[in-house]
Amino acid sequence: MLTEVLVALLVGGLLYFLVQRSRTQVLRTEDGWWGAGAPPDGGEDITIRPFTVSTSAEELEDLYRRIDQTRPVPSLEDSHFTYGFNSQCLHTVLSYWRNGFDWRRQVDRLNQYPHFKTTIEGIDIHYLHVKPKTVPEGSTALPLIMVHGWPGSFYEFYGLIPLLTEPSDPSHLVFEVVCPSIPGYGFSEAPHKKGFDSVCAAHIFHKLMKRLGFQQFYAHGGDWGWLVTTNMAQLEPRSVRGLHVNFAPPSNPGLPITLSIMLGRRFPKLFGFTDLDIERLFPCMEKLVVESIKESGYMHIQATKPDTVGRGLNDSPAGLAAYILEKFSTWTSRDFRDLEDGGLTRKFSLDDLLTNVMIYWTSGCIVSSMRFYKENFGKGLYAPHSKIPVDVPTGFACFPNELMHTPKLWLKQKYRNLVAFTPMARGGHFAAMEEPQLMAEDIQNFTKIVEKKAL
């Protein structure tokens, strides 16, 4: 009798586990109000307004005056980028910014795509909306929202957008691209109240896509954009047709991940580890702990007291450039720390790097962008979304120099419908900006898989 009861309990428990695992869990949230003061009576304005990036002589004169008055501090001998942004390299960057960089020309480049603003939950949301010029007969453009991270901006996608909206290969899918600025970044208004985290951003971006007439769409993200688009897939899985990311650190490590860290070096095949996985993960203390400590100081500051350091950066173009561009050095390749110039122009042009910095400078958004860390980490490491799996078809582009390496086994703990996992030939954290061609190809391949499965 006892044996029969135990068997029944075991079978019942197994069936319960399988049913729960197969059931799509949905993240819950509510509408918010992030504008100043109380919500107005009668609802908010839902009109969509064209927006143009602009500048002025006064804006440039103020910038030049501040650059001219910077107080340089010499770097230590042979320190390169190991102490942070090298002072001699910063002098070179500032000299070009002051005397060679043409912001007016870059403003024209920014305006080559249509910009818009619309008010959602009390704040103005800025976004690009790029429609293809031509769509092959018998097909339709696929809507795609692409979300940036920190310290990037919508500008990261400027090299990628034409490859998706105007592909040269007639067999490729054609996309209609929406690139919003996360609230508090770039030209999106910053929240006026505490608590605006990735789930709030995801909720607002769902409203944006619906306002634009898209009931279903694809989503792509890296850095914070990974979490925002992941939350979008968790909030409304039926709306997100497919999710493509290039950054996905484990948010809630369980037994499989723990065992793979403990035993993966000795038994790599047991966990499906590749040579790259072994190289990037082991020895664990050095690769996962020490390296993370070396590169996460900014995160501790921004997750606790962002306004303090942010206030100084908002006043100093030299400080802002050093703080942002140091990430474009180290996060592109850790080896760049040992170079005098940080390898900045090995993957990017100074014009592109300074355009991104100018988006932060002219909008005055560095403080509000840093607050996004406090709002997300301030709620603890185990927010509700960290425990909810993603059942939307997912593709992952695994770039070899990504800041944090994520093996396929780790991804599958969160993304249960992983339909594509691509080891990329080269590239780091800012992959869309660094390797737009590779990123476009992977988005194409992933989307074709999803579209084929849907037939």
Side-chain angles (χ1 to χ4, degrees):
M1 181 67 179
L2 179 60
T3 303
E4 293 173 348
V5 171
L6 290 174
V7 170
L9 287 173
L10 181 62
V11 171
L14 179 61
L15 288 173
Y16 177 79
F17 171 78
L18 292 173
V19 169
Q20 289 297 108
R21 182 172 175 81
S22 64
R23 181 179 299 168
T24 299
Q25 300 178 52
V26 177
L27 183 63
R28 305 294 181 186
T29 191
E30 298 178 351
D31 289 348
W33 175 261
W34 306 104
D41 295 330
E44 67 183 9
D45 180 8
I46 62 171
T47 58
I48 292 172
R49 312 179 299 277
F51 172 75
T52 302
V53 182
S54 61
T55 188
S56 65
E58 292 77 17
E59 184 176 68
L60 290 172
E61 288 169 5
D62 176 68
L63 170 68
Y64 297 155
R65 176 182 60 80
R66 291 170 187 263
I67 292 177
D68 290 341
Q69 293 178 352
T70 190
R71 299 189 298 169
V73 178
S75 293
L76 295 175
E77 295 176 2
D78 301 319
S79 61
H80 308 301
F81 265 61
T82 58
Y83 280 68
F85 207 99
N86 180 273
S87 186
Q88 184 57 45
C89 180
L90 182 60
H91 173 76
T92 302
V93 170
L94 293 176
S95 178
Y96 180 73
W97 196 2
R98 173 66 174 84
N99 302 303
F101 178 69
D102 189 343
W103 174 233
R104 294 185 187 278
R105 184 181 66 188
Q106 293 305 105
V107 165
D108 290 340
R109 172 164 165 73
L110 292 177
N111 287 323
Q112 77 181 85
Y113 296 124
H115 295 246
F116 302 90
K117 284 189 176 184
T118 189
T119 305
I120 303 176
E121 296 189 359
I123 52 178
D124 282 347
I125 305 301
H126 161 260
Y127 64 96
L128 306 177
H129 188 180
V130 187
K131 300 179 181 180
K133 295 176 183 176
T134 59
V135 179
E137 189 176 347
S139 64
T140 57
L142 299 173
L144 169 68
I145 183 172
M146 300 198 296
V147 185
H148 64 87
W150 186 92
S153 64
F154 64 89
Y155 186 64
E156 289 180 66
F157 300 120
Y158 264 54
L160 179 58
I161 289 171
L163 301 177
L164 297 172
T165 58
E166 306 293 335
S168 57
D169 190 331
S171 69
H172 281 181
L173 301 168
V174 178
F175 292 89
E176 182 173 344
V177 174
V178 177
C179 291
S181 295
I182 296 173
Y185 286 72
F187 304 117
S188 278
E189 186 177 355
H192 295 264
K193 294 175 171 59
K194 296 186 292 184
F196 189 92
D197 61 9
S198 63
V199 177
C200 300
H203 187 53
I204 278 181
F205 288 165
H206 267 298
K207 288 187 173 184
L208 172 64
M209 295 302 279
K210 286 176 181 148
R211 190 169 292 182
L212 295 176
F214 302 123
Q215 299 306 312
Q216 278 196 323
F217 51 86
Y218 285 88
H220 164 78
D223 195 86
W224 278 128
W226 140 73
L227 187 55
V228 172
T229 53
T230 292
N231 292 159
M232 292 179 76
Q234 293 169 316
L235 283 169
E236 297 187 36
R238 292 185 179 180
S239 295
V240 181
R241 192 172 177 85
L243 171 65
H244 185 273
V245 293
N246 58 278
F247 180 72
S251 56
N252 191 18
L255 184 59
I257 293 178
T258 303
L259 288 175
S260 71
I261 292 173
M262 294 171 59
L263 304 173
R265 192 176 192 181
R266 177 166 291 191
F267 306 105
K269 291 183 179 179
L270 181 63
F271 301 99
F273 280 175
T274 64
D275 290 342
L276 178 63
D277 294 332
I278 299 299
E279 178 188 340
R280 289 299 309 274
L281 298 178
F282 302 102
C284 289
M285 182 57 68
E286 175 189 341
K287 299 294 179 68
L288 299 181
V289 179
V290 175
E291 196 59 50
S292 294
I293 291 173
K294 283 182 181 179
E295 293 302 327
S296 60
Y298 80 98
M299 186 185 299
H300 297 292
I301 292 172
Q302 294 175 193
T304 53
K305 302 291 181 64
D307 287 28
T308 304
V309 67
R311 186 65 175 83
L313 299 176
N314 196 56
D315 269 359
S316 168
L320 184 67
Y323 198 72
I324 289 177
L325 296 185
E326 185 255 314
K327 304 309 178 193
F328 278 84
S329 166
T330 304
W331 293 2
T332 300
S333 174
R334 289 181 177 135
D335 294 340
F336 288 175
R337 289 180 298 205
D338 298 320
L339 301 176
E340 198 75 28
D341 64 354
L344 275 177
T345 55
R346 294 194 177 194
K347 294 289 188 174
F348 311 104
S349 71
L350 272 183
D351 280 344
D352 283 340
L353 292 171
L354 287 172
T355 297
N356 182 65
V357 173
M358 281 294 282
I359 289 171
Y360 279 81
W361 178 258
T362 57
S363 65
C365 74
I366 187 61
V367 175
S368 54
S369 75
M370 293 162 67
R371 286 176 184 159
F372 202 53
Y373 283 79
K374 184 172 180 64
E375 303 298 9
N376 283 288
F377 288 109
K379 297 177 181 178
L381 297 177
Y382 299 105
H385 65 78
S386 70
K387 305 169 188 175
I388 296 178
V390 175
D391 292 307
V392 165
T394 303
F396 184 72
C398 184
F399 287 88
N401 289 323
E402 179 55 84
L403 186 63
M404 183 174 291
H405 181 71
T406 307
K408 188 174 184 179
L409 171 73
W410 295 12
L411 275 166
K412 292 175 76 173
Q413 307 310 303
K414 177 78 172 183
Y415 302 90
R416 301 194 302 195
N417 192 6
L418 187 68
V419 300
F421 180 96
T422 312
M424 307 302 284
R426 59 191 177 275
H429 187 68
F430 302 98
M433 187 172 175
E434 179 188 348
E435 298 289 349
Q437 186 67 49
L438 291 182
M439 185 70 84
E441 290 172 3
D442 202 62
I443 291 174
Q444 281 280 349
N445 292 337
F446 161 69
T447 309
K448 286 177 181 178
I449 292 172
V450 177
E451 290 294 303
K452 188 175 181 180
K453 283 178 175 287
L455 293 177

